[in-house]
Amino acid sequence: MHAYRAALLSFADDGSARYEQDGLLVVGPGSDGRKVIRAAGSYQALAANYAGVQVTHLPGKMLAPGFIDLHVHFPQTDVIGSPSEGLLPWLEDYTFPHEARFSDHAYATGVAQVFLDELLRNGVTTALTFCTSHPHSVDALMEASQRRGLRMIAGKVLQDRHSPDGVRDDTRQSLLDTEALIRRWHGQDRLGYAITPRFAPSCSEEQLRGAGDLAAQYPDVWIQSHVAENKEEIRWALELFPASRSYLAIYQDFGLMRDRAIYAHCIHFDDEDRALMRDTGAAAAVSPTSNLFLGSGFFDYEGARRVGFRHGLASDVGGGTSFCPFHTMLAAYYVGREGQTKPGISLSPQNLWWQHTAGAAQALGLEGVVGNLAPGCEADFIVIDPHATPLLSRKTTHARDLDELLFSLIVLGDDRAVAQVAVDGVITSGPGRAPA
Ligand SMILES: [Zn+2]
């Protein structure tokens, strides 16, 4: 066992944050040999119980759960920051040509390493990510994630129509490949598979039906897709699937809405769509930097809360502009505030942080597994330096309460504030690597 003494941030079941100014985090082997959190709380209360355990003292630092990115495209790591006239031109001009390069396994492996480095540098320890339509793009990411001991969820994109040569897949083969990848990777170490229709307009009815059949056959596998991102896309989806009540309902009609189904964006919803999310247990991956970058619209937080469906935060790189969770949380605050196209509300700093950690874990059905510093959770955590830059240090020093402290980090923080990252109990980046 090993323990860390520092300030400690965690979350209660109701989503409110818990903060210990002088905390202790005890990490040790769990029942399956994986490193878990054995205790987390005040140093004074816990120190005597763990008297023989070596303690790394981190004065001035803050321990927090590793961030969870609910929606990202690892093959678009190099597409970040590509200028375009909105979603559909951005796909055609940048994304599809770039993804075509992933037919080369070695190229996919190289990008996977850069992607994982970038996630960890930013304190993200779990992500739900798209790969490309090429099956070995999944192998490349899973192999790299497995070597690093990461809890990572990914899937091969399904897109058998309205897609150019180089990324379009074959209906029958794409479903055989998906099932083979589920069997190869789902449940291996900390890896999980996600059935991944790109979005309804890129999939034939036969492909969506096959995806729904696999979702029923493998109920603990995840599902990920996009929905209701922009109005042009919605019009197109409804032209292609005239029998469905709404864009979201297309997925329901093909058996693709259930627990562990994560839909990116979910912007242009009515209350029937919101109720469908709630009633099926599906969750929204809110992607604010992407939505602002592509001008897609503003996620309606008031509507999500009023009807009550699961949601959490995502970078959506390469449509999103940053891997950094602080930037994503700040963008979510802007999106929440916007009050011209929907009700504007102020998201609390605690809620923003929850959406990127324990709330995101709940959306994935992984509460109590990742996203929190609570006994039994896997030991993925970060060491935050509230003094990483001069203005951040000044603001956090003068913070009068937890909300002021967290909001200073959200507004002023970036990768420099992520001093160290621990994966499976081992500090893997930053100075002072220490074993658990
Ligand atoms: Zn996306």
Side-chain angles (χ1 to χ4, degrees):
M1 280 198 285
H2 194 91
Y4 299 86
R5 181 179 180 183
L8 202 147
L9 178 72
S10 62
F11 292 89
D13 289 345
D14 66 0
S16 61
R18 297 276 179 270
Y19 185 71
E20 290 288 347
Q21 179 62 44
D22 184 14
L24 190 72
L25 184 73
V26 183
V27 174
S31 55
D32 57 0
R34 199 164 282 162
K35 297 288 188 346
V36 298
I37 292 162
R38 301 284 289 267
S42 94
Y43 178 80
Q44 292 302 335
L46 291 172
N49 299 346
Y50 296 93
V53 175
Q54 195 188 351
V55 178
T56 299
H57 194 192
L58 301 163
K61 301 293 197 295
M62 182 172 112
L63 302 168
F67 289 106
I68 297 171
D69 190 335
L70 268 187
H71 174 75
V72 60
H73 300 253
F74 106 78
Q76 294 175 19
T77 300
D78 294 311
V79 177
I80 196 167
S82 299
S84 86
E85 298 286 324
L87 172 65
L88 300 178
W90 174 85
L91 280 172
E92 281 164 31
D93 296 342
Y94 288 101
T95 304
F96 289 154
H98 192 82
E99 290 193 9
R101 300 175 67 180
F102 284 70
S103 59
D104 176 354
H105 193 150
Y107 182 78
T109 298
V111 176
Q113 300 294 2
V114 173
F115 170 75
L116 295 178
D117 284 345
E118 202 62 24
L119 287 186
L120 291 171
R121 221 168 54 70
N122 283 285
V124 177
T125 49
T126 287
L128 173 62
T129 177
F130 276 49
C131 298
T132 64
S133 56
H134 315 96
H136 61 232
S137 69
V138 177
D139 296 328
L141 183 70
M142 294 296 203
E143 287 157 4
S145 301
Q146 191 172 37
R147 272 198 296 277
R148 298 183 193 219
L150 287 162
R151 182 166 283 286
M152 194 64 53
I153 308 167
K156 173 208 129 53
V157 169
L158 298 167
Q159 51 180 124
D160 67 351
R161 65 169 172 170
H162 302 133
S163 307
D165 292 347
V167 296
R168 189 178 58 255
D169 57 13
D170 170 78
T171 310
R172 198 180 119 74
Q173 189 60 43
S174 72
L175 297 167
L176 292 171
D177 288 341
T178 295
E179 185 161 22
L181 289 165
I182 291 171
R183 291 186 172 177
R184 189 176 311 152
W185 292 114
H186 187 71
Q188 294 296 321
D189 293 333
R190 302 174 77 198
L191 306 174
Y193 193 82
I195 297 164
T196 308
R198 182 164 210 121
F199 63 146
S202 74
C203 302
S204 66
E205 291 195 14
E206 191 185 348
Q207 194 176 42
L208 287 177
R209 196 169 297 114
D213 290 346
L214 288 169
Q217 197 181 334
Y218 297 95
D220 65 339
V221 159
W222 282 268
I223 298 165
Q224 58 178 345
S225 193
H226 299 91
V227 74
E229 181 173 2
N230 86 25
K231 291 183 176 172
E232 197 182 334
E233 171 214 17
I234 293 172
R235 260 195 306 279
W236 188 27
L238 290 175
E239 272 169 33
L240 293 168
F241 297 92
S244 293
R245 191 200 72 84
S246 69
Y247 185 176
L248 182 68
I250 297 167
Y251 296 113
Q252 168 72 353
D253 294 344
F254 288 94
L256 290 164
M257 294 195 68
R258 60 159 167 73
D259 286 334
R260 297 196 165 201
I262 312 289
Y263 286 91
H265 309 305
C266 301
I267 296 171
H268 307 283
F269 271 3
D270 60 21
D271 273 357
E272 278 194 58
D273 291 322
R274 295 185 182 101
L276 185 58
M277 293 291 288
R278 178 196 62 208
D279 296 344
T280 56
V286 183
S287 307
T289 72
S290 171
N291 300 156
L292 295 171
F293 181 69
L294 292 171
S296 302
F298 306 90
F299 180 78
D300 184 346
Y301 276 101
E302 189 276 337
R305 288 180 176 185
R306 177 167 42 76
V307 177
F309 64 87
R310 293 174 186 160
H311 56 278
L313 283 173
S315 69
D316 191 28
V317 165
T321 52
S322 177
F323 282 101
C324 176
F326 300 114
H327 294 175
T328 301
M329 291 189 283
L330 178 57
Y333 181 79
Y334 297 154
V335 164
R337 276 290 350 129
E338 191 280 332
Q340 309 304 309
T341 65
K342 54 146 185 84
I345 60 173
S346 287
L347 298 168
S348 74
Q350 294 184 36
N351 178 263
L352 288 163
W353 209 292
W354 175 85
Q355 287 187 58
H356 228 336
T357 53
Q362 187 186 78
L364 289 169
L366 290 175
E367 60 271 42
V369 179
V370 287
N372 208 351
L373 300 185
C377 283
E378 294 172 353
D380 293 343
F381 59 92
I382 61 176
V383 180
I384 291 177
D385 180 4
H387 308 287
T389 64
L391 185 56
L392 180 64
S393 180
R394 195 175 160 81
K395 282 287 294 179
T396 55
T397 300
H398 294 138
R400 288 172 304 181
D401 57 29
L402 179 58
D403 276 330
E404 289 190 2
L405 174 66
L406 297 182
F407 210 41
S408 296
L409 282 159
I410 289 168
V411 173
L412 298 172
D414 55 30
D415 53 300
R416 289 170 292 182
V418 180
Q420 294 178 314
V421 180
V423 173
D424 196 20
V426 180
I427 289 186
T428 58
S429 66
R433 294 161 61 105

